Amino acid sequence: MAEASLREWHRPKNFVASITKEQLHLVNLTDLEFTRLCKERYGVNKGLYNTIENYFAKQGVRNILYRRVYILEFLSDVQSKKGKESRGAHVSFGTGGLARALHTFFIKNI
């Protein structure tokens, strides 16, 4: 088995050190439970979730726990940008909006 590069196991730099107990619990949910959480909390369906997860995987975040931290932080970041009155509202992206949002988030947090 080949040795994994550091890039493959990349830790999110800004938020892993301060991961909350809730996040620690959430990232260890089963796939079904985690995708259900994303649907209930952020309105992200399975297809959108898979696209987001695939983006982080392609960026070299191979560790599923770190990838899930990224997903939670990304969705929370997008939701918070809608403003206080939209807190709890489902996230939405226009044409090309998801790719732009992912790229901006990843650049900011790497």
Side-chain angles (χ1 to χ4, degrees), residues 46-88:
K46 182 73 171 164
L48 189 56
Y49 169 83
N50 286 339
T51 302
I52 295 167
E53 183 179 30
N54 189 51
Y55 176 85
F56 289 124
K58 284 185 174 184
Q59 297 303 314
V61 184
R62 298 286 177 219
N63 184 305
I64 184 68
L65 299 178
Y66 297 152
R67 201 163 55 239
R68 285 183 173 185
V69 170
Y70 267 119
I71 292 167
L72 289 173
E73 289 295 323
F74 169 71
L75 293 172
S76 179
D77 185 59
V78 170
Q79 192 177 59
S80 71
K81 287 180 180 175
K82 288 187 167 198
K84 290 181 181 177
E85 68 282 349
S86 298
R87 199 60 48 111

